Amino acid sequence: MPATPVALAILLLCTGHIFSNAARTLPAVAVDVLTRDLGITATELAQITGIFPAAFAAVMIPVGIALDRYGVKRTNLFLLTVAGCGAVMAALATGPWSMALAQAVLGAGCSGMLMCPITFAARALTAPRFAVWSGIIQAVGNTGMLLSASPLALLIEAVDWRAGFWACAGIAILAIALVALLVPSDRPAPTPRRGLAHDLREVGRVALTPGLRGVMVFTFASFAAVLGVRGLWGGPWLMEVKGLDRIDAGNVLLACTVALTIGPALAGLVLKRIGHAPALMTISHLTCAGLIALIVAGGPIAGFLGLPAMPIAWDLVLLVLFGAIISFQVLAFSLVRGAVPPEQTGRALSCANLSFFFGAAVLQGLSGLVAGWGGNGAALLTFAVALIICSLGFWVLRPNR
């Protein structure tokens, strides 16, 4: 396939990833009104929204099998339809149980929104080009978080939080139309048809290969930190601890999201230039753990400096640095691609993404419990500790030590 159609197809497939990022990070700027209208606490909301990554992780292995069996386009269209239904269900939710069901449907539908363009690119591009494009895919998809910062904060302030989910449903409809009309059908290499049990055993073997074990540990905390800091606890921290209103908090989160949008593309370029992906991944995530700790330590630092509180610029700079540096997580996909043969690409990438979202589900639920004990700061530190543990675990288990 010529280079331009491949690039266009990848970008069109990214529209689903844009939807996914917008839908799962919307609660960060709507915690107060969501908890009020649904009759729940912030801790309970954390547990409900944690259903999204749990459902995401639960269907990730079947999604990987579907990508290898049926191709990217067919899998993507099915998942986009499910995800769009989930957004409509969230917009119509009237209580905790209906929102929990909506989060489950949303999570299941969004399970392949990153894997579809990543798998398409992995099959169509050379290794050096894939290193760059994996960053571009993540960067384009992260623009969904731009939507859930200031734009959706303004929409929520002007209308209500339901309008935010209706807007997400509109994005899903647009993505379905673009993919159906413009993305070429892909035909995976023919393989003998085996039963689901055989496919599941093969996925397990892929996940435990020496080249992937360390990556699975690394990814467990990686996206969890993004979702926890940017997608859930960042908004309450800025509004309840720092005293910002919704719009100002959305603007700070917007700056963090711009860094999250630019960072993956830069990470791909850095990898292409200097290599050493394991070192870049480990150092970046240990640094991000330190940045989270500095955000939470703003109060004691202000007291040491004789200030009533650190200025909001302190949190702004630290969140922007966090967004840029955590983006080196995208390098994990390059390690995965190089660890398996082409016919196992979908399964292997889905294994890594499974760990991304299973970790997010576990750590988000844990952060909600910790928040009930120690507040928003303690919830944020949950992710800092997880980043340290998983980064060091990855370094010990890294491939080609």
Side-chain angles (χ1 to χ4, degrees):
M1 184 181 294
T4 300
V6 168
L8 178 61
I10 293 171
L11 292 174
L12 292 174
L13 288 165
C14 286
T15 54
H17 191 30
I18 292 171
F19 164 88
S20 178
N21 275 315
R24 66 173 167 245
T25 56
L26 187 151
V29 292
V31 171
D32 56 338
V33 288
L34 273 170
T35 53
R36 181 198 67 203
D37 291 353
L38 297 178
I40 56 177
T41 65
T43 298
E44 290 168 333
L45 180 63
Q47 294 168 343
I48 288 173
T49 55
I51 294 172
F52 182 112
F56 192 115
V59 300
M60 180 49 60
I61 290 177
V63 166
I65 294 171
L67 287 168
D68 287 339
R69 276 195 176 190
Y70 306 116
V72 171
K73 182 174 181 176
R74 292 169 66 185
T75 303
N76 185 252
L77 288 172
F78 174 77
L79 292 174
L80 277 170
T81 302
V82 174
C85 291
V88 172
M89 293 170 64
L92 297 174
T94 56
W97 290 106
S98 53
M99 179 56 78
L101 179 60
Q103 290 293 312
V105 176
L106 268 171
C110 290
S111 57
M113 295 300 99
L114 173 59
M115 286 302 93
C116 286
I118 284 282
T119 302
F120 194 95
R123 290 172 178 163
L125 303 175
T126 62
R129 291 187 67 200
F130 177 74
V132 175
W133 267 96
S134 61
I136 294 173
I137 289 166
Q138 192 78 295
V140 173
N142 283 351
T143 60
M145 287 188 279
L146 291 174
L147 296 176
S148 68
S150 296
L152 285 184
L154 288 167
L155 180 62
I156 292 167
E157 194 72 18
V159 187
D160 62 10
W161 58 268
R162 298 180 190 278
F165 283 110
W166 283 118
C168 290
I171 297 172
I173 293 171
L174 175 63
I176 290 171
L178 291 173
V179 172
L181 295 174
L182 300 175
V183 173
S185 297
D186 56 316
R187 294 179 173 82
T191 56
R193 283 299 176 92
R194 304 180 178 95
L196 180 60
H198 180 277
D199 280 334
L200 291 174
R201 287 194 299 270
E202 184 178 353
V203 169
R205 287 195 295 271
V206 169
L208 294 175
T209 57
L212 292 185
R213 285 179 295 197
V215 176
M216 298 288 283
V217 172
F218 176 86
T219 53
F220 186 85
S222 183
F223 184 70
V226 176
L227 195 60
V229 174
R230 167 58 187 87
L232 184 60
W233 296 110
W237 172 266
L238 293 170
M239 289 188 282
E240 297 172 14
V241 178
K242 303 299 290 191
L244 300 185
D245 62 27
R246 189 188 322 281
I247 302 303
D248 288 337
N251 289 336
V252 173
L253 293 176
L254 178 63
C256 174
T257 309
V258 170
L260 280 165
T261 302
I262 297 172
L266 294 177
L269 293 173
V270 170
L271 176 64
K272 186 178 180 181
R273 179 173 293 272
I274 69 174
H276 305 291
L280 290 171
M281 291 160 62
T282 303
I283 292 170
S284 67
H285 280 43
L286 291 175
T287 301
C288 286
L291 293 172
I292 295 172
L294 286 173
I295 292 172
V296 177
I301 292 172
F304 177 78
L305 296 175
L307 300 172
M310 295 300 289
I312 193 60
W314 171 266
D315 301 84
L316 173 63
V317 170
L318 291 173
L319 284 169
V320 168
L321 288 173
F322 171 84
I325 297 171
I326 198 72
S327 298
F328 277 78
Q329 64 190 208
V330 74
L331 303 186
F333 293 122
S334 294
L335 294 184
V336 171
R337 183 190 186 276
V340 297
E343 63 272 13
Q344 293 181 339
T345 300
R347 291 166 170 81
L349 290 171
S350 294
C351 284
N353 217 29
L354 169 63
S355 182
F356 269 123
F357 279 85
F358 181 67
V362 171
L363 293 174
Q364 187 164 315
L366 178 61
S367 73
L369 296 174
V370 172
W373 165 73
N376 293 327
L380 287 169
L381 287 176
T382 303
F383 301 99
V385 173
L387 284 172
I388 293 171
I389 294 171
C390 291
S391 297
L392 294 178
F394 165 70
W395 186 252
V396 171
L397 296 171
R398 68 191 186 278
N400 303 319
R401 284 186 292 167

